């Protein structure tokens, strides 16, 4: 039989919409689950993706679609990285191969993509709030569909999830919350709630074990019954030790579980029953992250979000040199923490992603994984810093968005010398608009007292980190890109930087390129391209957005007719804006200033390199911006922004 014929026979190939799942016999569902796993594995091994979370919820997804009337009933997936099976059974099977690729399916639920995605996600902890809002709107409008939020035990460490549960208990609308408990966030789940879920689960196992023993004893002829009686009396004292779900019951939910999340029949029976009930319901489901693929079951953290890998062995295709910014950051922090006992590190559930694994192993008492709780991370750091420690909050640019007020009110207003290491600043690529780090310069630049910088390469990242730890006058943030460093040598002895000072890397009379962070090397390459056309360009590694190197920029702009600022951030309110504001307030002769960055739109997903090119942040794009600015500079004076806006 050819592979084609085998494929043709798949049940999955007949699933064009959830109604097709609902038409199946229950006994066909395990086979469909198997086929879905195969499909997810085939696509992820070729192109990467959130493999382990998605493999873990295949049965859960099928049971939900089997029991509920989607799209009339609404599923809200928390984070949304586990929604691959959902995508496969909701009319996106044929495009599934394009997952996370340019122009292809998003890696997350997306309203624009499907009517089966009533709420987009990517950031954790939002599902219960959104679902509750929808349930409330439904009731106020007199409608009667069901709303189901599916949230992980990791997601439950987000304060926002509890704010929502608290409110749901009060509102008492019909709402179903499914807790997908795999004991994992990306790494092991942390905190008291996770321990609580764990106790429920262990209690459940103990209870089942007790039932089995009881049955066994009862069957012993003659003495069985009396032994059981004594044992039961002795056990009385243990009663109440584990009352499943009491926490959720106290919050106003009816609790059901824990259920085996890979047992489709149990899931279906439960969902069919709870569907008929009124008020907020919580169904606690136990799943195995990475289920069905041994390498992912063994290493669910590594296979949480993974690049290409060899399917037969689970070997991940990795090119280890040069090291990533994240790796250099992690190693340098260990080095500096060794010399300075005040250094502590905080992550919001991302020890792997932010490069803190080695730090955690070396300094377990100085490492805090506080769960998916960015707001808490920031204010916790504020407290640590005010009492003399040097906390480094290692966080993705996109996730710090959530803690904006904490940065303003708890860190900067208190002048608490917290260090923010913002990983994934700029274009991140395949994860798309929920994860692009394109707003940080704008959302941080205007906050008083916060020093804001970006290294041009991994060696400068080391210098920035060392400088940050020495700087005690107030808070400081720096952002660096996702991916490999520039491959520059790393100085053994780290030298400190002077706050507020940039550096001139190349001099030329025709135009001035003020570059920041990841755009510095491409700007140097652009200058080399322009030189071939006889255009001489000065290139500055600006390093600082706050404080801006006004002295350097002031002097250089007096000698250049055309200035181009370059940043991997939205132009609105970013580095270029800072330069413009400075030049305008300084007064005097204004050069023509053109700001190259990203327009204030949500950036789609696609490979980092492709997106950089599309937004003209590659050497050719930067060179073109300089050429255009020079042409316009000869015809008229003023300022312009790439991405439509032209400020004059
Ligand atoms: C606000 C926010 N912080 C951090 C992340 C990064 N992140 C993505 S998935 C995840 C773990 C989620 O754990 P859980 O909800 O249990 O889902 P699982 O992956 O175990 O299925 C984290 C921390 C995020 N998406 N959003």
């Amino acid at each position: 039989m050819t592979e084609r014929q085998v494929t043709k026979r798949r049940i999955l190939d007949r699933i064009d919409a959830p109604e097709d799942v609902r038409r199946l016999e229950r006994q066909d569902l395990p086979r469909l689950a198997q086929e879905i796993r195969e499909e997810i594995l085939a696509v992820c091994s070729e192109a990467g993706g959130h493999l382990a979370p998605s493999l873990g919820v295949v049965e859960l997804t099928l049971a939900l679609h089997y029991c509920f009337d989607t799209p009339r009933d609404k599923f809200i997936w928390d984070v949304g990285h586990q929604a691959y099976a959902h995508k496969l059974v909701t009319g996106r099977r044929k495009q599934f191969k394009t997952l996370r690729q340019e122009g292809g399916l998003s890696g997350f639920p997306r309203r624009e993509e499907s009517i089966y995605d009533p709420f987009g996600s990517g950031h954790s902890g939002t599902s219960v709030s959104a679902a509750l809002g929808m349930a409330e709107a439904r009731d106020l409008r007199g409608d009667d569909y069901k709303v189901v939020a599916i949230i992980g035990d990791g997601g439950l460490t987000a304060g926002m999830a509890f704010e929502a549960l608290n409110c749901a208990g009060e509102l008492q609308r019909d709402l179903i919350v499914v807790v997908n408990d795999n004991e994992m966030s990306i790494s092991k789940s942390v905190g008291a709630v996770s321990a609580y879920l764990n106790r429920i689960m262990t209690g459940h196992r103990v209870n089942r074990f007790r039932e089995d023993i009881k049955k066994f004893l009862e069957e012993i002829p003659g003495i069985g019954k009396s032994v059981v009686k004594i044992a039961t009396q002795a056990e009385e004292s243990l009663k109440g030790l584990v009352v499943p779900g009491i926490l959720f019951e106290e919050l106003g939910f009816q609790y059901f579980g824990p259920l085996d999340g890979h047992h489709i029949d149990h899931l279906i029976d439960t969902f069919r029953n709870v569907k008929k009930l009124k008020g907020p319901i919580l169904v606690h489901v136990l799943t195995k992250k990475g289920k069905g693929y041994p390498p992912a079951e063994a290493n669910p953290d590594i296979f949480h979000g993974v690049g290409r890998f060899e399917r037969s062995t689970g070997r991940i295709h990795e090119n280890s040199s040069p090291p990533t910014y994240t790796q250099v950051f992690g190693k340098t922090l260990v080095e500096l923490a060794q010399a300075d006992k005040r250094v502590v590190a905080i992550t919001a559930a991302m020890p792997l992603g932010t490069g803190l694994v080695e730090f955690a192993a070396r300094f377990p008492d100085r490492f805090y994984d506080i769960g998916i709780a960015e707001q808490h991370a920031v204010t916790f750091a504020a407290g640590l810093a005010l009492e003399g420690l040097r906390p480094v909050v290692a966080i993705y640019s996109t996730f710090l968005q959530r803690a904006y007020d904490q940065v303003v009110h708890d860190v900067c207003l208190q002048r608490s010398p917290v260090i923010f290491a913002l990983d994934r600043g700029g274009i991140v690529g395949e994860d798309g608009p929920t994860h692009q780090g394109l707003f940080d310069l704008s959302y941080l630049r205007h906050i008083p007292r916060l020093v804001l910088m970006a290294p041009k390469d991994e060696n400068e990242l080391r210098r920035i980190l060392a400088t940050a730890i020495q700087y005690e006058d107030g808070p400081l943030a720096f952002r660096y890109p996702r991916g490999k460093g520039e491959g520059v040598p790393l100085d053994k002895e780290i030298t400190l930087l002077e706050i507020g000072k940039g550096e001139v890397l190349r001099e030329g009379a025709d135009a001035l390129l003020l570059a920041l962070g990841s755009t510095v090397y491409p700007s140097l390459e652009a200058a080399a391209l322009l030189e071939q056309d006889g255009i001489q360009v000065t290139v500055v590694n600006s390093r600082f957005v706050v404080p801006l190197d006004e002295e350097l920029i002031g002097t250089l702009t007096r000698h250049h007719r055309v200035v181009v600022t370059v940043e991997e951030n939205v132009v609105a309110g970013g580095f270029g804006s800072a330069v413009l504001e400075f030049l305008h307030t300084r007064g005097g002769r204004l050069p023509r200033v053109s700001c190259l960055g990203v327009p204030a739109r949500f950036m789609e997903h696609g490979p980092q390199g492709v997106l950089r090119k599309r937004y003209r942040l590659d050497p050719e794009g930067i060179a073109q911006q300089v050429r255009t600015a020079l042409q316009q500079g000869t015809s008229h004076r003023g300022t312009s922004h790439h991405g439509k806006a032209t400020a004059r």
Side-chain angles (χ1 to χ4, degrees):
M1 204 180 301
T2 66
E3 204 178 309
R4 196 115 186 271
Q5 283 166 319
V6 175
T7 319
K8 263 196 164 168
R9 288 226 200 128
R10 298 190 312 177
I11 302 174
L12 181 57
D13 292 327
R14 306 202 302 266
I15 309 293
D16 293 320
E19 294 86 73
D20 299 325
V21 176
R22 295 194 269 276
R23 270 194 282 272
L24 295 173
E25 298 297 329
R26 268 193 195 209
Q27 65 265 25
D28 289 333
L29 293 175
R31 196 177 126 204
L32 177 58
Q34 183 56 28
E35 292 173 3
I36 287 176
R37 282 207 168 84
E38 289 290 321
E39 187 72 18
I40 292 175
L41 259 172
V43 169
C44 288
S45 57
E46 282 301 316
H50 285 103
L51 178 75
S54 281
L55 288 181
V57 295
V58 177
E59 287 82 7
L60 175 61
T61 307
L62 289 180
L64 283 167
H65 278 291
Y66 200 71
C67 297
F68 289 88
D69 182 19
T70 45
R72 197 176 123 67
D73 292 342
K74 297 179 196 306
F75 295 166
I76 319 289
W77 297 92
D78 203 83
V79 192
H81 60 323
Q82 75 290 54
Y84 293 179
H86 167 77
K87 292 202 179 215
L88 277 168
V89 299
T90 51
R92 287 169 273 186
R93 172 174 46 82
K94 290 189 183 127
Q95 299 106 292
F96 193 66
K97 287 189 174 53
T98 68
L99 190 73
R100 290 160 50 87
Q101 292 168 32
E102 202 197 351
L105 289 185
S106 161
F108 299 91
R110 229 181 145 169
R111 285 167 51 77
E112 298 87 342
E113 194 176 280
S114 167
I115 47 165
Y116 295 95
D117 296 354
F119 195 74
S121 48
H123 288 202
S124 177
T126 63
S127 59
V128 184
S129 299
L132 182 61
M134 288 180 177
E136 184 69 16
R138 170 202 63 203
D139 290 1
L140 292 182
R141 285 193 291 100
D143 214 329
D144 65 352
Y145 50 84
K146 299 282 173 197
V147 186
V148 184
I150 304 106
I151 183 166
D153 54 313
L156 272 192
T157 61
M160 194 180 164
F162 274 86
E163 293 169 27
L165 291 175
N166 192 35
C167 183
E170 165 95 8
L171 291 176
Q172 284 297 310
R173 299 290 182 191
D174 293 354
L175 168 74
I176 297 171
V177 175
V178 177
V179 174
N180 167 33
D181 181 4
N182 54 23
E183 296 178 74
M184 297 293 289
S185 187
I186 292 177
S187 305
K188 202 93 187 121
S189 272
V190 297
V193 173
S194 152
Y196 171 72
L197 290 175
N198 201 278
R199 279 203 303 279
I200 296 181
M201 192 177 70
T202 341
H204 174 69
R205 281 204 199 112
V206 171
N207 284 340
R208 274 182 46 192
F209 178 66
R210 284 189 193 131
E211 290 298 312
D212 290 346
I213 299 249
K214 210 165 127 190
K215 223 163 140 209
F216 170 74
L217 289 174
E218 274 171 354
E219 278 162 16
I220 301 175
I223 54 162
K225 286 255 171 354
S226 54
V227 174
V228 170
K229 201 169 162 203
I230 295 163
T232 312
Q233 279 163 2
E235 224 189 57
E236 279 302 302
S237 56
L238 289 175
K239 260 200 178 163
L241 199 65
V242 181
V243 181
I246 189 90
L247 172 66
F248 303 109
E249 297 271 349
E250 292 293 332
L251 282 165
F253 277 73
Q254 290 181 71
Y255 171 92
F256 295 86
L259 294 177
D260 178 347
H262 301 296
H263 199 303
I264 296 192
D265 269 332
H266 285 177
L267 292 172
I268 290 176
D269 291 341
T270 307
F271 289 138
R272 286 203 166 145
N273 282 330
V274 300
K275 241 177 104 165
K276 297 180 204 137
L277 300 175
K278 294 266 151 227
I281 310 282
L282 189 136
V283 183
H284 182 187
V285 171
L286 307 176
T287 61
K288 176 121 195 108
K289 200 159 176 169
K291 175 80 177 173
Y293 184 55
E297 287 190 18
N299 292 298
D301 50 351
I302 308 277
F303 283 89
H304 172 90
V306 68
R308 249 160 49 77
F309 61 93
E310 194 175 80
R311 195 172 152 182
S312 54
T313 59
R315 199 175 61 81
I316 295 166
H317 299 292
E318 251 177 351
N319 159 10
S320 58
S321 83
T324 62
Y325 278 90
T326 308
Q327 287 166 333
V328 173
F329 164 78
K331 282 239 168 294
T332 310
L333 191 62
V334 167
E335 217 176 298
L336 296 168
Q338 211 150 9
D340 187 339
K341 288 202 162 41
R342 300 170 308 157
V343 174
V344 297
I346 300 163
T347 173
M350 310 284 290
L352 246 173
T354 58
L356 290 181
V357 172
E358 191 182 338
F359 189 102
R362 293 280 294 278
F363 311 106
D365 297 341
R366 290 152 65 185
F367 168 76
Y368 305 92
D369 178 351
I370 49 79
I372 307 176
E374 287 79 6
Q375 298 162 314
H376 164 61
V378 172
T379 306
F380 176 56
L384 290 165
L386 286 174
E387 291 302 308
L389 296 183
R390 308 298 354 260
V392 177
V393 179
I395 190 164
Y396 286 11
S397 161
T398 188
F399 300 138
L400 186 61
Q401 286 166 195
R402 189 164 273 201
Y404 174 76
D405 183 56
Q406 283 73 8
V407 177
V408 174
H409 181 273
D410 300 335
V411 173
C412 296
L413 184 57
Q414 322 289 332
R415 204 190 282 279
S416 176
V418 173
I419 298 159
F420 293 103
L422 269 67
D423 200 327
R424 275 50 167 192
I427 295 173
V428 300
E430 286 80 1
D431 280 339
T434 54
H435 284 61
Q436 309 283 16
L438 292 167
F439 304 122
D440 54 15
L441 300 180
S442 307
Y443 73 69
L444 293 175
R445 176 168 88 76
H446 57 262
I447 307 176
R449 298 179 181 161
L450 183 68
V451 170
L452 181 56
M453 53 222 269
K456 70 173 188 292
D457 58 36
E458 61 274 36
N459 191 49
E460 195 161 275
L461 173 62
R462 280 164 65 74
R463 299 181 67 194
I464 282 186
L465 182 54
T467 307
I469 288 170
Q470 293 303 313
Y471 178 79
E472 294 183 30
D473 289 353
L476 187 148
F478 52 91
R479 59 107 84 157
Y480 43 98
R482 174 183 163 230
K484 301 259 171 233
E486 303 295 330
V488 297
L490 303 180
D491 300 338
K492 282 237 151 45
E493 281 289 314
I494 307 180
T495 48
L496 300 185
L497 290 162
E498 195 179 337
I499 297 291
K501 291 290 166 212
E503 61 172 345
V504 177
L505 296 176
R506 179 185 170 123
E507 289 185 273
D510 298 322
L512 169 63
L513 263 174
L514 295 174
L516 184 82
S518 59
T519 68
V520 171
Y521 282 88
S523 294
L524 281 170
E525 285 181 51
L529 289 173
L530 289 162
E531 190 174 34
Q532 291 169 13
D533 300 344
I535 301 169
Q536 304 302 331
V537 180
T538 296
V539 178
V540 172
N541 167 23
S542 309
R543 267 192 206 128
F544 286 83
V545 180
V546 184
L548 204 60
D549 191 345
E550 295 184 354
E551 199 185 320
L552 180 67
I553 295 174
T555 309
L556 291 173
T557 47
R558 281 201 185 90
H559 300 111
H560 289 86
R561 215 165 25 89
V562 164
V563 178
V564 176
T565 64
V566 199
E567 65 197 300
E568 224 174 278
N569 192 78
V570 288
V571 170
F575 167 66
S577 287
V579 172
L580 280 176
E581 286 164 24
F582 161 63
L583 292 176
H584 275 265
T585 36
R586 181 195 65 176
R589 187 189 73 85
L590 276 182
R592 174 163 185 90
V593 182
S594 156
C595 297
L596 180 55
V598 169
R601 286 201 303 264
F602 290 109
M603 189 185 284
E604 65 276 30
H605 61 276
Q608 217 177 12
V610 170
L611 293 174
R612 283 187 174 142
K613 201 172 168 58
R614 176 168 313 147
Y615 288 91
R616 298 202 249 151
L617 291 163
D618 65 325
E620 184 46 55
I622 298 169
Q624 193 49 46
Q625 186 84 2
V626 173
R627 285 188 201 104
T628 311
L630 279 168
Q631 279 158 16
Q632 290 173 344
T634 51
S635 51
H636 56 92
R637 287 253 183 90
T639 56
S640 78
H641 294 57
H642 166 55
K644 297 250 162 44
T646 297
R648 307 201 91 235

